[in-house]
Amino acid sequence: MEESKEPVATECREKMTVVVAVDESEGSLYALSWALDNLFPAAVGGAPNKPQPLGRLVLVHAQQPLQHLIMHPVGPAAYATSSVIDSVKKAQDQNSRDVVERAKGICRRRLVEAEAVIVIGDPKETICQAAEQMQTDLLVVGSRGLSKIRRAILGSVSDYCAHHANCPVLIVKPPKGGH
Amino acid sequence: MAAKAEDASTAAAVGKAVMVVGIDDSEHSFYALQWTLLHFFSPAVRPSWPYKLVIVSAKPTPTSVISVASPGAADVLPFVESDLRKISSQVIEKAKDICAAHSVLDVEYEVVEGDARNVLCEAVDKHHAETLVVGSHGYGAIKRAVLGSVSDYCAHHAHCTVMIVKKPKPKH
């Protein structure tokens, strides 16, 4: 009984590190908006130059590694030339930057400061790893609301994070059409 | 987003969004409750928090605990029933103590009979909750499949955001 209270007491920090996983999907941007509205509410409508931030918001975007794309044969060419690799990588980097910019824009509109991190690798694993490295208090992920079978086949980042992340996980569902 | 907040406020008394925390008699769920209180409700940390806390404890039905076909089941039933009721009231008492320790006083407590999975999802609908918080046993994939997992079920089926709070793993 006593030991379960101990670790919680020592973790009492005023500032909470919240990591939000973002990608191009509407689900993750909705998750970000939800997190901003519900976890950092005082920023809305309050004085913009409030001295004390409520917590640290970190946006994480996982960029698929290049090997993933090269494996798939593209047309008649059996292997990709270095120029193709370069242009694909440039397009990917640009894509990541766009996603991060959009996410940062959402934060800025709600007067919340956010840091951004781009990690390269399989989204499921890298997001959990990044969260662990940053000593996250809460990991926020969106959910596409897939059915059970599609989850198993397509793989689900939110499922993986819920099972494997070392920290508490918040899964934000897309709003239901008719409640 | 504004319309959704309106809905929640007409349902909740004080016009605050509702956060439901599911607890049972396991250490993991009390850890989840403490974590939630510490980071979201403690007045020292969050002076005015726009959330109303509802703590829901699912009391298993006696028939789910003992197999009805076993001999002498009918005799054992009343004892099991009173035992379960005692456990639930202990769970709620402990939850009350934890809330008091964190100086959180505006809390609603509910004990609902039934399977924890359904109880929590129904509580979310009933209170129009914005968030559901559950602990997690941290079972591996096989144990989860065999024993079933309340946090898994809620993560997939609850009609709101779900927060799964785990006890940090001791190593790595």
Side-chain angles (χ1 to χ4, degrees):
Chain A
M1 225 64 88
E2 274 66 37
E3 53 251 12
S4 74
K5 267 213 156 181
E6 272 302 318
V8 178
T10 50
E11 277 167 50
C12 182
R13 293 189 287 261
E14 282 248 353
K15 296 191 189 166
M16 199 164 75
T17 301
V18 177
V19 173
V20 181
V22 291
D23 65 3
E24 306 88 352
S25 71
E26 282 304 315
S28 73
L29 293 173
Y30 176 75
L32 176 60
S33 308
W34 192 97
L36 289 168
D37 288 338
N38 290 279
L39 301 173
F40 298 87
V44 180
N49 40 350
K50 214 170 174 184
Q52 196 189 47
L54 293 159
R56 192 180 144 219
L57 176 62
V58 182
L59 307 168
V60 170
H61 174 66
Q63 185 175 316
Q64 294 276 6
L66 225 56
Q67 281 76 9
H68 178 82
L69 299 171
I70 293 175
M71 296 284 206
H72 298 227
V74 180
Y79 55 90
T81 58
S82 59
S83 57
V84 171
I85 296 176
D86 278 344
S87 60
V88 168
K89 187 151 200 318
K90 271 210 191 100
Q92 272 197 314
D93 288 342
Q94 185 57 45
N95 191 31
S96 301
R97 275 197 294 269
D98 289 342
V99 167
V100 169
E101 271 315 302
R102 205 158 93 173
K104 275 188 164 172
I106 295 176
C107 298
R108 238 176 279 131
R109 264 196 293 274
R110 284 174 173 73
L111 308 172
V112 178
E113 290 264 332
E115 302 163 35
V117 176
I118 297 181
V119 287
I120 301 186
D122 183 58
K124 306 193 268 272
E125 294 163 10
T126 47
I127 288 175
C128 290
Q129 273 167 12
E132 196 171 327
Q133 277 163 5
M134 288 188 265
Q135 309 213 303
T136 315
D137 290 308
L138 185 62
L139 173 63
V140 180
V141 290
S143 163
R144 285 180 284 180
L146 294 176
S147 68
K148 219 172 182 163
I149 297 175
R150 281 171 98 191
R151 260 174 209 275
I153 299 172
L154 296 175
S156 163
V157 174
S158 58
D159 254 5
Y160 186 94
C161 290
H163 294 186
H164 293 92
N166 238 9
C167 61
V169 178
L170 188 78
I171 300 174
V172 183
K173 313 266 179 78
K176 285 256 157 36
H179 199 72
Chain B
M1 218 42 212
K4 204 157 181 250
E6 224 94 289
D7 266 339
S9 66
T10 49
V14 198
K16 293 182 170 188
V18 177
M19 184 184 274
V20 172
V21 179
I23 55 170
D24 62 7
D25 57 346
S26 72
E27 276 304 313
H28 302 268
S29 63
F30 286 119
Y31 177 82
L33 177 61
Q34 283 173 332
W35 190 93
T36 307
L37 289 174
L38 201 65
H39 288 91
F40 289 93
F41 285 93
S42 175
V45 180
R46 306 262 180 243
S48 63
W49 196 247
Y51 264 123
K52 178 168 165 46
L53 181 63
V54 175
I55 295 183
V56 175
S57 169
K59 172 167 131 11
T61 54
T63 44
S64 71
V65 176
I66 54 173
S67 67
V68 188
S70 60
D75 300 329
V76 178
L77 213 58
F79 291 107
V80 174
E81 168 72 42
S82 74
D83 224 14
L84 288 173
R85 210 175 300 141
K86 200 164 64 159
I87 293 176
S88 319
S89 63
Q90 276 172 353
V91 165
I92 292 289
E93 280 311 308
K94 190 164 172 190
K96 283 185 183 165
D97 289 340
I98 294 175
C99 290
H102 287 265
S103 337
V104 179
L105 303 166
D106 177 27
V107 189
E108 213 179 289
Y109 299 92
E110 271 190 16
V111 177
V112 184
E113 184 160 325
D115 186 301
R117 288 172 269 215
N118 299 323
V119 163
L120 292 180
C121 292
E122 277 162 27
V124 163
D125 289 336
K126 175 176 150 195
H127 292 274
H128 298 277
E130 187 75 32
T131 309
L132 170 66
V133 183
V134 288
S136 164
H137 288 271
Y139 285 151
I142 297 175
K143 265 175 137 179
R144 261 175 207 274
V146 170
L147 297 174
S149 165
V150 174
S151 58
D152 249 6
Y153 184 89
C154 291
H156 294 186
H157 292 93
H159 292 150
C160 68
T161 303
V162 178
M163 184 153 72
I164 301 175
V165 181
K166 301 177 217 185
K167 263 183 141 160
K169 294 195 175 62
K171 81 164 179 132
H172 120 269

